[in-house]
Amino acid sequence: MRKQERYDKIIEWFSKNVPVAETELHYKDPFQLLIAVILSAQCTDKRVNIITPPLFRDFPTPEALAATTPEVVYEYIKSVLYPNNKAKHLVGMAKKLLSEFNGIIPSDVDELQKLPGVGRKTANVIASVVFNKEAMAVDTHVFRVSNRIGLTDNSKTPLETEKTLVKHIPGHLLPIAHHWLILHGRYICTARKPKCLECGIREYCKYYSKKPE
């Protein structure tokens, strides 16, 4: 199967069978989502959703978060991976938002990456989810699934994967395609043992086509 044909078939299947695909992080405004995505690095959305309600309640604005200390934030987030670094990033992010962006979250991916704790993946998530921009965030699920099913050819880096996906997926579908691949990787095409018999795209999948009978 040619690569573009594989893309077309997979996109067609997801469009028909998963017309709604959204982040599983809980948030009520862009600031809350930015906090949640920073916390979600190498951590499950489920864990993040457990710890964020008290954090959102006590630090509802960039002003409130900037006025506290990493030590205080640490107590709210200590059950996530790398809580010390993330606490520093969150306070630093809030201060930078105020000093450089008047407390308003920028929509530009490059501008977003100026904020502490915001790498390219996080910036793309915010750009696509909040501002509906044609951006493709590549996390561990997207990276793994894209390589496994044959959307990419042994990509070595998330950026390489991102460029390939952006090249082959229609721009207006990039925001939802990001969630298609994440959710597929989280629940069907799992890391250790993919559930191929439950998979609706297995007939288009490079990995499945090479599996022994």
Side-chain angles (χ1 to χ4, degrees):
M1 181 178 287
R2 291 181 300 106
K3 180 178 284 188
Q4 190 58 55
E5 185 183 0
R6 176 175 283 114
Y7 270 92
D8 293 344
K9 293 288 188 182
I10 289 173
I11 289 170
E12 182 183 5
W13 187 89
F14 276 117
S15 297
K16 181 179 178 180
N17 293 279
V18 192
V20 177
E22 301 170 327
T23 179
E24 293 186 314
L25 291 169
H26 298 165
Y27 70 99
K28 293 181 180 177
D29 57 48
F31 182 60
Q32 288 188 355
L33 180 62
L34 181 54
I35 290 172
V37 177
I38 289 173
L39 289 172
S40 72
Q42 295 179 286
C43 187
T44 65
D45 288 1
K46 186 177 180 180
R47 166 57 52 187
V48 172
N49 289 335
I50 289 171
I51 67 167
T52 47
L55 187 68
F56 292 160
R57 179 194 66 221
D58 294 347
F59 306 101
T61 63
E63 290 82 1
L65 189 55
T68 192
T69 65
E71 290 75 22
V72 171
V73 173
Y74 172 87
E75 293 302 319
Y76 289 82
I77 68 169
K78 57 188 176 184
S79 65
V80 302
L81 278 174
Y82 310 113
N84 283 306
N85 282 341
K86 289 178 181 178
K88 292 174 186 174
H89 287 155
L90 289 178
V91 174
M93 174 272 289
K95 288 181 176 178
K96 192 98 167 180
L97 264 183
L98 294 174
S99 65
E100 290 200 21
F101 301 102
N102 297 316
I104 299 170
I105 294 172
S107 61
D108 182 76
V109 168
D110 292 329
E111 294 289 287
L112 282 161
Q113 289 181 83
K114 294 178 181 178
L115 299 170
V118 178
R120 187 169 182 87
K121 184 214 81 172
T122 297
N124 278 331
V125 169
I126 299 301
S128 64
V129 174
V130 174
F131 301 103
N132 201 36
K133 288 205 164 188
E134 295 182 356
M136 170 55 71
V138 177
D139 70 349
T140 54
H141 293 300
V142 175
F143 184 76
R144 181 186 73 252
V145 170
S146 297
N147 266 329
R148 183 183 275 164
I149 67 180
L151 297 181
T152 54
D153 298 311
N154 298 315
S155 287
K156 299 297 188 291
T157 65
L159 181 57
E160 191 180 338
T161 294
E162 178 189 333
K163 287 180 177 179
T164 303
L165 294 174
V166 167
K167 179 181 177 182
H168 291 280
I169 297 173
H172 70 284
L173 289 177
L174 287 171
I176 192 171
H178 159 71
H179 296 300
W180 283 337
L181 293 171
I182 282 181
L183 297 173
H184 195 66
R186 190 172 287 164
Y187 298 111
I188 301 296
C189 198
T190 49
R192 292 184 181 177
K193 193 176 181 181
K195 302 171 183 176
C196 295
L197 295 181
E198 298 177 29
C199 179
I201 61 170
R202 62 180 180 270
E203 64 181 290
Y204 319 123
C205 173
K206 195 172 183 180
Y207 170 84
Y208 186 74
S209 70
K210 293 180 178 180
K211 281 185 70 174
E213 291 296 332

